[in-house]
Amino acid sequence: MPATLSQTQRDLLMQRMEQNPLRFQQMIIDDSQQAIREMLKKGKLNAAFTEKLWELLLANDELSQALQRYLWRVPLQQKRTFIQGLDTHLSDRYPMFKGLSEDWPGKNSIPPYVRPALERRKDFDLVNQGYLGYMGLGYSLREVELFVWLEVLRDKQCKDRPCEIGVPQCDKQGEVSGDHDGGCPVKIHIPQVLNLMGEGKFKNAFELICDANPLPNVTGRVCPQEVQCQGACTLKERPIEIGQLEWFLPQRQRQLDGGIANDLNVCNPWAIATKPPVAIVGSGPSGLINAYLLAKAGYPVTVFEAFHALGGVLRYGIPEFRLPNQLIDDVVAKIKNLGGRFVTNYIVGKTATLADLKRAGFTRIFVGTGAGLPRFMNIPGEHLLNIMSANEFLTRVNLMHANEAEYETPLPQVKDKQVIVIGGGNTAMDAARTACRLGANVTIVYRRSKQEMPARVEELHHALEEGIMLKELRSPCEFLGDKNHVVTSSKLEVMALGEPDASGRRRPQATGETELIQVDLVIMALGNNPNPIVKDAQPDLETSKWGTVLLNKGSQQTSLSGIYSGGDATRGGSTAIKAAGDGQAAAKEIMQDSHFNVKEVNNLVAQASHYTDLAQTPAEIVKRTQLTEGVVEFTIKAPLIAKSAKAGQFVRVLSDDKGELIPLTMADWSVDSGTIVLVIQGLGSSSKIINQMQVGDCFAAIAGPLGKASQLVKHPQNQRVIFTAGGVGLPAVYPIMRAHLETGNKVTLIAGFRGVDFCFWSEQEGRLETLRSQYPSLLEIIYTSNDGSMGIKGFVTMPLEEMLINNRDSAEEASAIAEVITIGPPLMMRAVSDLTLDYKVPCVASLNSIMVDATGMCGACMVPVMENGKLIRKHACIDGPEINSHIIDWDKFLPRFSQFKVQEHQSQLDHNLIDE
C-alpha cells in the first residue's frame, strides 16, 4: 500500500465525509475510546497521553462528551488509573489535582472553592463559592465543568438510591418501617442527575432537577446535605458533594444564558382561567416552591408576603455570605414569568383572614407562615439594652441593611465590641458570623459540647476559621448592666452532660459553678415558636399545644377544608429543604383537589384577580395637612387596611426603600374611600423625612392593621372612661375614644399640649369638637398646656388627679371612674400609671415601642411586666399595644426608648436635619 493517499483518493475520502460526516466522526470517537481503553488496561498513563486526553475533554464537543460518557462507564480500577494520571502529570497546572488519587474515590476529591477566612470575614460576599468559584482564579467554565465531572466520577452508582430515598429504618422487632434516614425531601432523582452529569449532559441534569425542585440554587446552598442526601451517601468518609452539584447546575446555566433561564408561560393562567386560583401565604421556601409548581401547572396564584421584600426567612434570616439575594430574586422571577403574582405588606390574620381570602375567590390556600416568634430565656437582666433576638439582629442587617450608612435602620454599636451569641444552631452561626463581619469580637455560648451542636458542620467550621470563639458547656443565668440599663456582663453557668434526652443528645445539667464574662451585645439564637397571628384570627384552625398547625394524617391539608400548610408553621423550627418538600407535597394535593366547572372557575379567577389588584394598591398620599410645626396629617390609600382596621391598632410604615420600619397608630380610616389617616410628628430622621412627603408621593410600604384592637366594655351609666393624651398621643386616642362613645360609654378626654401653637383638632370644625357635637351628653374634653396658653396650665396629671380624688372621696356614684387609658410620651404614661395605681383605678397604656417587623417576629418591642411575682416579657406588637400599665416595670421599660439615641442623632446630622 502506498505510504500516502493519491489526490484522487483524498478527493474521494473528502466526498464521503461530506456525504456522511457522522460516520467518520464516530470512527474517530471509536478509535479514541479504543486507545484510551488500551492505556487504562495497562494501569498507568504517561504524560503525553494524559495531556492529550485532557485537551480532548476540554474541547467541549461531541468527542469530548463521548469520552466523558466512556470514562463514566469504565470499571472503578480504570477510573483510578485516569485519576492517577491527572494527579501525576497535571497537578502543576491544576493544584487541586495534587494528591487527588490518594484514597480516591472514598476519601479524596476536589472540594468546592471556599474563600480564605481572613479575606471573607471582612465582607458579606459569598463564602463557599462552589465549583464556579474557581473561575475567579482564572479557570474557564469548561475547566470547572470538568472539576465537577471529576466529583461526579466518584459516584458508586448505587442501585438502592440512598441519597434520594434515604436509608430504611427498622422497628424494635427488626422489621423495616416506613421511615427513612436521610434522602431528599423534595424528591430529586439524584442518581439520574449524577448519571446525566457523568455523561457530560449538564443541561439535561439541570432540567431533571428543576422538574422536582425549582429552587436548586437556593436549597443547594442552605440544605443540610450532611444529614439528608450526603448523610445517606455510601461514601461515608467523604460523600459526594451533592448540594454543591445541585447549586452548580443552575449557576452554570446562568453563566451560559447571561441570566436566569426563562420559564415563560405564553398562556397566562389568569388570562385563560382554566383552573381555580390559589393563595399562598408567605414567600419562604415552602411558599415559593408551592407557587412555582402550581403556576407551572396552569393555576393562577397570588403569593401574599408580610414584608416589603420577598423571600421570607431566606431573605431576612440568612446572610448574603451564605445565600445571595440574587438567587431568591431568580426564583421570584421564574414564578412571575409563569404568571404568578405577588402582594407584599400583607399580613394574613391582620390585613385579612383565611376566610376573607376564600371569599375573595381563593378556594385553595397554602399557609407557609413559618415559625417567627423568637424564644428567650426569661432570666434576670434579660430586659437590659443590647440584648436582642437573632431574628431582630439578622433582620436589621439582612433585610433592612442597617450596616450600610445610606440606610436608616439603626443597629447596636458592634465594631470592636464583645458580642456573645447564645445557641448552637444555624441561626446562631449566621448571627455570629454577621457580627464578626461588622467588626465584633464574637463568642458563641452553647450549653452542650461542640459535638452536640445542631448547626451544619460546614457553618460551624467556617465560623471557627473566621476567628469566632466557642464557649462550650456554658449557659447564661443572669445578665448585669450599668446605670444606663445597658448590658455589661453575663454570668454563665458551667454545665455538664448527663443522659441523652428525647433528641438523642446528652442533656446539659448545671454543676453549680459560674463564671463572669464581659459583654456589650447579647444575641439570643434559641429557636422560634409559631406566630399566633393566623391562629388567633382563625380559631377553628386546629393547632398543637406548641402552636404548630395540625395536618390531616398523610396529607398537607389542615383541619379546614381547602387550607393546606407546611414548613415551620407545621413543623416548628426546621430546615428550608423540608419546608420546600412540604410546599411541593401540598402543590400536588391541591392539583388533585380542584373540582369546579368552567363558569365557576371564570368567576373565581375574576374575583381573585380583582382582589389581588386591590391588595397591590400603592400607598399614595391623597391629602396632606400641616397641623402644627413638625406635625403633619396624611390621608393615604390603603383599602384593605381600612377595611380591617379596628380602634387601637397601628400600621408598619416604610417611607422609601432605604428607610426605617416604624409603627404608627392609625388616627382614622374610611372603608368607603379606602384610606387611612396617620398623624406624624417629626422627631427622628425617619419621621422628619416622611413629613417632607407631598400629595401624590407613595410610601414604599404600609402594612397592617397590626396589634390587638382595644378591649371595649360597655360600662354602667354611672361610670366614665378617662383618656389622657399627650401631644401626638391624641391621634392614637381619637379612634379608641370614638369607639367607646359608639358603645355608649361616657368619656372624658384630657388632651395635653406644650402650648396653644402645638394644639390641633381643637378648632370648631376639628375632629374633637365635631365628635363632641355628635355625643354632647357623653363626651367631656379638658385641655391642658405646659405654658398655660390653652386650657389648664400644667400636665394632664393635674385634672386627672383631681378626678381621682373626687372618685375616691365622693359618695355619689355618678362620677365613678371605670378605667383610665393613657397614650402619649412614655414619661407621661408612667406618671399616669403611677397616679392611678395610688388610687387603685385600672389603667391601660398603649405602647408603640421600638419595632422592626411589628408581627412578633423580632422581639424588639419587649415590655417587661410582673405577673404572679415573676418578671416576664410581653411584646407590644403581639400582646398589645394596650397593656395593663400597673404590671409594667417602667424602670426597665423606659430606657428602651433611648436604645438607639446615639445612632438617631448621627442620622439626623447625616441628613442635615439638625445642626451639630
Side-chain angles (χ1 to χ4, degrees), residues 528-545:
N528 299 297
N529 295 318
N531 197 296
I533 287 178
V534 173
K535 167 61 179 173
D536 289 349
Q538 203 78 39
D540 52 346
L541 180 68
E542 291 184 9
T543 56
S544 71
K545 63 180 180 180

Side-chain angles (χ1 to χ4, degrees), residues 24 330 425 548 667 864:
F24 285 88
D330 287 354
T548 53

